[in-house]
Amino acid sequence: MIFLAVSDIVSAIGMIAAAMITAVYGKASVTLHKKRLILIISTFSIILMHIISFIGFSIYNFQRFDNAHSFLRFCSIGVPFFFFQAVRFTIDIYKGKVRKNPDINDSLEFLLFYPRLVIGPVMTYNEHIEMLSDSRQSSEKIGEGLGLFIKGLSKKLLLADTIGLVFSPLYGDVNRDTTLLMSWIIILAFALELFFTVAGYGDMAKGIALCYGFNIPANYKYPLLSGSLSRFGSEWNISVVSWCKSCFSPMLRGNRWQSIIGITAAWVMVGFWYRPELQVIIWCAWLGFWIGLDGYIRNQFKRIPSVIYAIVFFLVTFFGWAFLSADSISDGINMVGLLAGSSTNIFRAQDLYYISQAGIIILIAVYSATGHFDILIERIRRIPAFCAITNILGFIFQILLLLLCIVVLVNNNDIIALQLKGAI
């Protein structure tokens, strides 16, 4: 919490206050009468701490990030994951899902567990206790954890931030002069930057936990270019989406429209969790509806070619990214129109500048986003003759990546802004 307070003291104080309220509620829940009233008071207090932290952080950092994109200025580090988990913890205690009555120290340790504090995943108290009981520190886990941390750091600094350095001035700054080709490249760049930011932080969190012997679940897999809306729904922000879906589980077991509405409602809840902004909520509702419809169609129609699903997937997700990348709803609608072909030009010579500046890194990012590189390495390691060579080359490659990341960090004067972008 001291580390967090260095760059975000307002949120750190709010999180500590909310953690104490939740911990005291967890300890006293067995002996308290009128549990529903106490649950409402406790949950309301946690949400109030969240709102105060959000407003306080915005006021405190408005001038510091005056020239930054809006979500850099108004998104405090780790706050969404923490408060989401605190609310879930109080509800689980009320429903009797917690195995034992946790004391205050155990509750604080669960809520403020450092490796997952900033980017998750959201875990239940029972999952946390089971993880602690199964923890075994070893040199192998430390090596695996450091490798995963370097991988996540590289995703964030070398892929996401490099792409953002070239294309972030273009997000939301489009007009009819933007060509059809460039509009698709801009949205691809936005999606890659966002994915490698959150996935990079997730890898770093899992890597840090492994160094201490803790195995936390992955929060992101490879949904971005999977070609399947159902897979996207199950691999994007896994813990948050899963918990939101559990809130609407009775609807998910109903008829086709109940299921689609339930999944849409769950994703709308995810939107409120991301940021209570109309543009974000519309984006999540758009994704939720198509994910629910995709699941229903797959169950009813078995012979639809996979290429049809892939085409629908890319159209739905790219239109969604286009809407999300803009600074306002009207700009988002304009960006969707450009993707649909409203531009007067298909290609201009000026587009070659951006392609030359970031073409290679985008190709590397696209291939990395498919997960094929990890699959290839695992297949090579299964061959005894290549296993040792792969390990040595992998170690050298990780050292080079770490050195390169250090160079990028040393030469970047806006480290806090990098942290904030990853916090969403």
Side-chain angles (χ1 to χ4, degrees):
M1 297 308 295
I2 293 174
F3 167 79
L4 181 64
V6 170
S7 58
D8 188 1
I9 189 170
V10 177
S11 296
I13 294 173
M15 291 164 71
I16 291 173
M20 290 301 301
I21 293 171
T22 308
V24 171
Y25 166 77
K27 178 64 177 177
S29 60
V30 174
T31 58
L32 289 174
H33 299 290
K34 299 183 178 180
K35 291 186 178 181
R36 180 173 297 180
L37 177 62
I38 302 300
L39 169 70
I40 294 172
I41 295 174
S42 177
T43 304
F44 177 79
S45 300
I46 295 170
I47 295 174
L48 183 63
M49 290 294 105
H50 188 183
I51 295 172
I52 292 173
S53 299
F54 183 84
I55 295 174
F57 175 83
S58 301
I59 296 173
Y60 179 69
N61 290 283
F62 187 83
Q63 296 297 328
R64 297 171 66 193
F65 300 107
D66 188 48
N67 296 322
H69 194 279
S70 59
F71 67 68
L72 291 184
R73 294 202 307 268
F74 304 114
C75 187
S76 42
I77 302 174
V79 165
F81 270 97
F82 169 80
F83 283 99
F84 192 88
Q85 184 151 277
V87 170
R88 179 176 184 175
F89 183 47
T90 59
I91 294 174
D92 285 347
I93 290 176
Y94 173 77
K95 290 185 175 180
K97 293 183 178 181
V98 176
R99 292 178 184 173
K100 63 176 183 178
N101 184 32
D103 59 33
I104 292 179
N105 285 337
D106 289 341
S107 297
L108 290 175
E109 193 276 333
F110 162 67
L111 292 168
L112 302 177
F113 185 66
Y114 170 69
R116 69 166 188 270
L117 185 62
V118 173
I119 199 65
V122 175
M123 296 176 64
T124 65
Y125 181 81
N126 295 339
E127 291 171 342
H128 178 79
I129 295 299
E130 185 177 349
M131 177 194 70
L132 294 183
S133 63
D134 293 340
S135 64
R136 296 290 185 273
Q137 193 177 38
S138 65
S139 58
E140 289 80 8
K141 283 190 176 182
I142 293 174
E144 183 181 354
L146 289 175
L148 196 55
F149 178 84
I150 294 171
K151 178 182 176 182
L153 190 65
S154 301
K155 286 181 178 180
K156 177 67 179 72
L157 294 178
L158 304 183
L159 292 179
D161 289 341
T162 302
I163 293 172
L165 185 66
V166 177
F167 288 98
S168 59
L170 302 178
Y171 301 155
D173 186 24
V174 295
N175 50 59
R176 294 189 65 85
D177 293 332
T178 305
T179 64
L180 178 64
L181 174 63
M182 199 62 209
S183 62
W184 280 89
I185 293 176
I186 290 171
I187 299 310
L188 176 62
F190 173 83
L192 290 170
E193 182 188 1
L194 179 59
F195 170 71
F196 282 112
T197 296
V198 294
Y201 270 80
D203 285 347
M204 284 188 276
K206 188 172 178 63
I208 291 172
L210 272 175
C211 289
Y212 293 101
F214 303 126
N215 189 16
I216 63 176
N219 209 26
Y220 292 88
K221 293 184 180 179
Y222 294 100
L224 191 65
L225 302 174
S226 62
S228 169
L229 285 164
S230 296
R231 181 176 167 187
F232 185 95
S234 62
E235 294 187 357
W236 179 272
N237 212 342
I238 300 169
S239 59
V240 173
V241 174
S242 297
W243 190 79
C244 289
K245 286 171 66 177
S246 69
C247 296
F248 298 91
S249 56
M251 295 182 67
L252 303 183
R253 293 191 293 267
N255 59 44
R256 57 180 180 179
W257 292 115
Q258 280 186 333
S259 178
I260 293 172
I261 293 172
I263 293 176
T264 304
W267 273 86
V268 168
M269 183 185 291
V270 173
F272 276 102
W273 174 81
Y274 275 131
R275 191 163 69 247
E277 184 177 305
L278 184 59
Q279 189 174 342
V280 178
I281 295 169
I282 292 174
W283 170 69
C284 284
W286 166 264
L287 280 178
F289 171 78
W290 285 101
I291 289 170
L293 186 62
D294 179 81
Y296 169 76
I297 292 176
R298 287 179 182 272
N299 289 331
Q300 296 296 320
F301 306 98
K302 305 294 185 181
R303 297 183 179 180
I304 296 179
S306 58
V307 66
I308 302 296
Y309 287 115
I311 292 172
V312 173
F313 167 82
F314 284 109
L315 289 176
V316 168
T317 55
F318 268 71
F319 287 159
W321 299 128
F323 187 79
L324 185 65
S325 67
D327 291 330
S328 65
I329 293 177
S330 60
D331 288 342
I333 295 173
N334 291 336
M335 192 67 213
V336 172
L338 286 172
L339 289 185
S342 66
S343 175
T344 56
N345 298 308
I346 297 177
F347 175 78
R348 290 188 305 178
Q350 186 180 355
D351 297 348
L352 293 175
Y353 167 77
Y354 293 99
I355 295 174
S356 63
Q357 289 292 313
I360 299 299
I361 198 70
I362 284 181
L363 289 176
I364 294 173
V366 167
Y367 183 73
S368 300
T370 62
H372 291 162
F373 182 76
D374 290 343
I375 296 174
L376 178 63
I377 295 298
E378 286 300 319
R379 287 179 178 176
I380 294 175
R381 283 179 175 172
R382 292 173 185 172
I383 304 174
F386 294 101
C387 184
I389 297 174
T390 305
N391 290 336
I392 294 172
L393 293 178
F395 175 76
I396 296 173
F397 184 64
Q398 288 175 352
I399 295 298
L400 292 176
L401 285 178
L402 179 60
L403 293 175
L404 191 55
C405 289
I406 292 173
V407 171
V408 171
L409 284 172
V410 169
N411 286 283
N412 196 308
N413 296 321
D414 200 5
I415 302 302
I416 297 177
L418 295 179
Q419 291 177 327
L420 295 178
K421 187 184 294 185
I424 67 167

